Amino acid sequence: MRPLLCCLGLAALLGPCLACPSACSCSTKKNGRLLAECAYKDLQEVPEGLSSNVTILTLSANRIGWLGQGSFAEVPEVQSLWLGYNQIGVVEPGAFALLVHLKNLDLSHNKIADFPWQDLRNLSGLQILKMNNNRLAGLPRDAFRALKDLRSLWLNDNELTTLAEGTFDNLPSLSQLQIFNNPFNCSCKVFWLKKWTENTSVSITKGGSTLCVAPGRLKGRAVTDIPDHHCIAPSVQLTYLSNLDNTVMYDGLTLTLHCSVAGSPPPEIRWKIQTSSRRIEINGPNVARDGSVKQSQERFLVFKNGTMAIPNFSKENEGIYTCLAVNDVGTRDVSVNVALAGSENPAEDLLRDDPQASHLGGQSCYKGDEMDPSGAGEKLVIVYHMPRESKSRAGGAVPRVCLGTLLLALGIAL
């Protein structure tokens, strides 16, 4: 009787550990891990009744079409989860978020178009992620950022047309990547991928072809063969002008900044303005062909050719004016700090206060000076007003308004 009671007691203790749904086969591996084998069972959902200490769960080759937030609540210790060859089309946010011990996740050969990428933030120990043969059309730039231990990533045979620059950054352990058989649009948005593949130590498996589907001139060409001349990062130069006409101004000072850009594809021009009281961003021209202003920043007139005009420039318009050149390859910017001084010769005052400042223009007024984007620092343009009654050193009358320039290296990198 005593041996029988001992056996019953032992069974009672082991029973919860070996809980197993009828459709599955459960066993303990030699390394002590608990395997729940539920593949090829024609299951339409994740079975209930799994033991809480299952570490390997195989659900491949079933007919599961949906994963809910609580689908894996019973197996918080799972380390390997195989879900390939199902019909999964819906994955609710939170479905994988609590599986913090997960090392291997296979979701290949399903119908996943939308995935809760935020769930991966908790899976820092993930080493293998298979999402190939799905319907993924895009990935967030930071989708994999938390996966510091990820070694193998399978994204082939999806519907990816582009990848954001930096998608594979912050993956120090990545050694294998599969991205072939995706319909890439080889605009300059994926030019970074060519450069990345040329310099990375990651093995990019060539089980198929990573080919361009668009644009037409590159169709059928490998992504890694995009011509260098097809995509050129922006360059930018900033010049400033004044509406000085014979150095006499009757309608107030109009400061004009001109942004010249180059690159392929042709860069867009954007402006950022930071004054003491506000910050303004102007993305593109706001002056139409007929001269009407499209947007609400009437104070700053931006034209299609890259020119910005600030009529009746005043103290409240002082600040940092930044021109940005943006295309699919990258962004470059250059800034100028514009200030209005009221003294008759502010250059002398500023030079006296800052012995390291360099006065590049002498005493005269200037028009069309260039802000060199390769310079050591941000440039400071001093615009100063000289009263009509003021006299020059030579004794002659000085015009009512004059544009003076002082270029200072302020140690702020462009």
Side-chain angles (χ1 to χ4, degrees), residues 22-24 37-47 58-65 84-87:
S22 58
C24 304
E37 175 62 67
C38 312
Y40 297 95
K41 300 298 182 180
D42 206 31
L43 298 173
Q44 298 186 35
E45 59 183 16
V46 178
T58 302
L59 290 164
S60 305
N62 282 292
R63 294 194 297 122
I64 299 171
Y85 292 93
N86 275 280
Q87 300 176 19

Side-chain angles (χ1 to χ4, degrees), residues 282-305 307-309 311:
I282 304 176
N283 297 323
N286 62 8
V287 178
R289 288 180 178 269
D290 61 4
S292 61
V293 182
K294 299 178 183 179
Q295 302 175 7
S296 60
Q297 295 95 356
E298 297 90 352
R299 194 71 189 86
F300 308 96
L301 306 179
V302 177
F303 298 84
K304 187 176 181 180
N305 67 350
T307 296
M308 173 188 285

Side-chain angles (χ1 to χ4, degrees), residues 334-393:
V334 63
S335 299
V336 59
N337 194 343
V338 184
L340 185 66
S343 71
E344 295 186 7
N345 198 343
E348 290 184 358
D349 295 339
L350 286 165
L351 286 169
R352 182 172 60 250
D353 295 338
D354 185 356
Q356 295 184 344
S358 57
H359 186 191
L360 302 184
Q363 298 292 328
S364 60
C365 299
Y366 301 97
K367 186 173 182 178
D369 290 303
E370 180 180 308
M371 300 292 98
D372 180 6
S374 64
E378 181 182 278
K379 306 305 182 186
L380 175 63
V381 175
I382 303 295
V383 181
Y384 60 96
H385 177 273
M386 300 181 72
R388 184 189 298 269
E389 295 78 11
S390 296
K391 303 294 183 179
S392 68
R393 292 181 180 178

Side-chain angles (χ1 to χ4, degrees), residues 5 83 91 93 106 114 136 169 192 195 199 201 204 304 361 384-385 398:
L5 290 175
L83 288 158
V91 183
D106 180 9
D114 295 309
L136 297 173
D169 290 352
W192 71 270
K195 296 299 183 182
N199 297 299
S201 60
I204 302 176
K304 187 176 181 180
Y384 60 96
H385 177 273
V398 177

Side-chain angles (χ1 to χ4, degrees), residues 36-362:
E37 175 62 67
C38 312
Y40 297 95
K41 300 298 182 180
D42 206 31
L43 298 173
Q44 298 186 35
E45 59 183 16
V46 178
E48 297 181 355
L50 290 163
S51 175
S52 62
N53 58 353
V54 165
T55 53
I56 304 172
L57 176 57
T58 302
L59 290 164
S60 305
N62 282 292
R63 294 194 297 122
I64 299 171
W66 168 85
L67 297 176
Q69 186 174 4
S71 291
F72 304 105
E74 292 183 338
V75 288
E77 303 295 323
V78 69
Q79 297 178 20
S80 297
L81 181 56
W82 310 109
L83 288 158
Y85 292 93
N86 275 280
Q87 300 176 19
I88 301 169
V90 176
V91 183
E92 290 187 353
F96 301 103
L98 299 180
L99 304 182
V100 296
H101 301 287
L102 205 58
K103 294 182 178 179
N104 306 300
L105 176 59
D106 180 9
L107 288 164
S108 63
H109 296 273
N110 279 287
K111 301 177 180 180
I112 300 172
D114 295 309
F115 185 80
W117 301 104
Q118 65 273 17
D119 279 18
L120 299 183
R121 296 173 187 170
N122 293 337
L123 310 186
S124 58
L126 198 63
Q127 297 178 9
I128 298 175
L129 176 59
K130 295 184 177 183
M131 301 193 75
N132 54 293
N133 294 87
N134 275 284
R135 299 176 181 176
L136 297 173
L139 302 171
R141 183 180 183 275
D142 59 351
F144 311 115
R145 179 163 295 181
L147 307 183
K148 304 300 183 183
D149 292 336
L150 190 67
R151 294 186 284 107
S152 181
L153 176 60
W154 299 36
L155 295 169
N156 56 285
D157 294 276
N158 274 284
E159 297 177 10
L160 299 172
T161 58
T162 189
L163 289 169
E165 184 172 0
T167 298
F168 307 121
D169 290 352
N170 302 305
L171 297 176
S173 302
L174 189 65
S175 59
Q176 180 190 29
L177 174 66
Q178 297 190 175
I179 56 173
F180 57 85
N181 288 346
N182 278 289
F184 284 111
N185 181 345
C186 293
S187 70
C188 292
K189 290 183 179 179
V190 297
F191 186 67
W192 71 270
L193 186 59
K194 171 187 175 176
K195 296 299 183 182
W196 183 81
T197 57
E198 291 173 349
N199 297 299
T200 186
S201 60
V202 176
S203 174
I204 302 176
T205 306
K206 298 179 179 179
S209 298
T210 308
L211 300 180
C212 305
V213 172
R217 64 182 180 277
L218 296 176
K219 185 175 181 179
R221 195 163 182 169
V223 173
T224 53
D225 290 336
I226 299 175
D228 287 348
H229 64 80
H230 179 62
C231 301
I232 302 173
S235 62
V236 57
Q237 288 184 338
L238 183 60
T239 57
Y240 64 90
L241 306 169
S242 73
N243 66 342
L244 296 180
D245 185 9
N246 297 322
T247 72
V248 178
M249 300 178 58
Y250 300 101
D251 298 322
L253 173 66
T254 295
L255 182 67
T256 304
L257 303 174
H258 182 72
C259 190
S260 300
V261 300
S264 180
E268 297 178 1
I269 295 177
R270 303 174 186 174
W271 291 90
K272 291 184 179 181
I273 305 166
Q274 179 67 64
T275 68
S276 60
S277 60
R278 56 178 174 165
R279 180 181 180 87
I280 299 169
E281 295 187 10
I282 304 176
N283 297 323
N286 62 8
V287 178
R289 288 180 178 269
D290 61 4
S292 61
V293 182
K294 299 178 183 179
Q295 302 175 7
S296 60
Q297 295 95 356
E298 297 90 352
R299 194 71 189 86
F300 308 96
L301 306 179
V302 177
F303 298 84
K304 187 176 181 180
N305 67 350
T307 296
M308 173 188 285
I310 306 101
N312 299 309
F313 189 87
S314 63
K315 291 289 287 185
E316 68 177 15
N317 304 131
E318 291 181 329
I320 299 174
Y321 289 73
T322 302
C323 171
L324 298 95
V326 182
N327 69 7
D328 291 339
V329 186
T331 301
R332 287 291 302 276
D333 65 80
V334 63
S335 299
V336 59
N337 194 343
V338 184
L340 185 66
S343 71
E344 295 186 7
N345 198 343
E348 290 184 358
D349 295 339
L350 286 165
L351 286 169
R352 182 172 60 250
D353 295 338
D354 185 356
Q356 295 184 344
S358 57
H359 186 191
L360 302 184

